[in-house]
Amino acid sequence: MSKTVSSWLADELTYTPLGPVRRPAVLPDWLAQELERTGNPALDVPAPRAVPPRAQQAVIAAGGGRHHTHNLLASVLAPVEACGQVAQGAGFSDILNRAAYTLGGLVAASRLSQQEAEDLLLQTAAAARPGQEHRAEQIIRRGMAAGLKRPLYPGSVR
C-alpha cells in the first residue's frame, strides 16, 4: 500500500525530542519582531527566566560585604549576565559598556577597587559571551575609563 504525499510529509516532519529537556528556549526578541514583521506573530512566547545570582556570588567571593554596594553591583551586572541567554541581538556591547561605566564611577567614588570591578566585569562578560574575552576587555577598559572621570556617590544622578 502506497502512502499519500501528505501522510509521508506528516511522518517525515514529526518533531521527536532528543535528550531530557522538554521546554524550548526563549524566543529572541529580534526573531519575534521578524516573525511579526512578516505576518507570522509568535504566540505564547515564554517569559525570560530569572537571571541566576552568579554576579552576587562573585561579589561575595571578592570580599564585598557592603550591603548597598553589593545590591548595586548585582543590579548593574544582571543585564550583562542576561545577554548569555540570547546568542545575539541583545545589545551586549552597549550593556557591557554601560556596566563598565557605572562600575568605573563606583571605583572613582572609592566604593570598590578597580581590580574588583574589572574582575567582576570580565567574569560576567566571559560567562555571557564565551570566546569574546578580548572584545570584552576593550569594551570594559573604555567604559571604565569614562566612568572613572565621573564618581558615582549614593543618591547622585548621572
Side-chain angles (χ1 to χ4, degrees), residues 51 57 59 68 79 81 97-98 102 109 115 126 142 144 148 151:
V51 177
Q57 293 169 354
V59 171
H68 183 70
E81 225 179 315
N97 184 57
R98 197 171 311 132
T102 302
Q115 190 62 53
R142 285 192 297 263
M144 286 211 39
L148 285 167

Side-chain angles (χ1 to χ4, degrees), residues 64-102:
R66 297 158 286 193
H67 185 68
H68 183 70
T69 301
H70 170 77
N71 290 339
L72 182 59
L73 287 173
S75 67
V76 169
L77 294 173
V80 177
E81 225 179 315
C83 289
Q85 296 177 1
V86 182
Q88 61 182 1
F92 176 72
S93 297
D94 290 339
I95 291 169
L96 181 58
N97 184 57
R98 197 171 311 132
Y101 178 82
T102 302

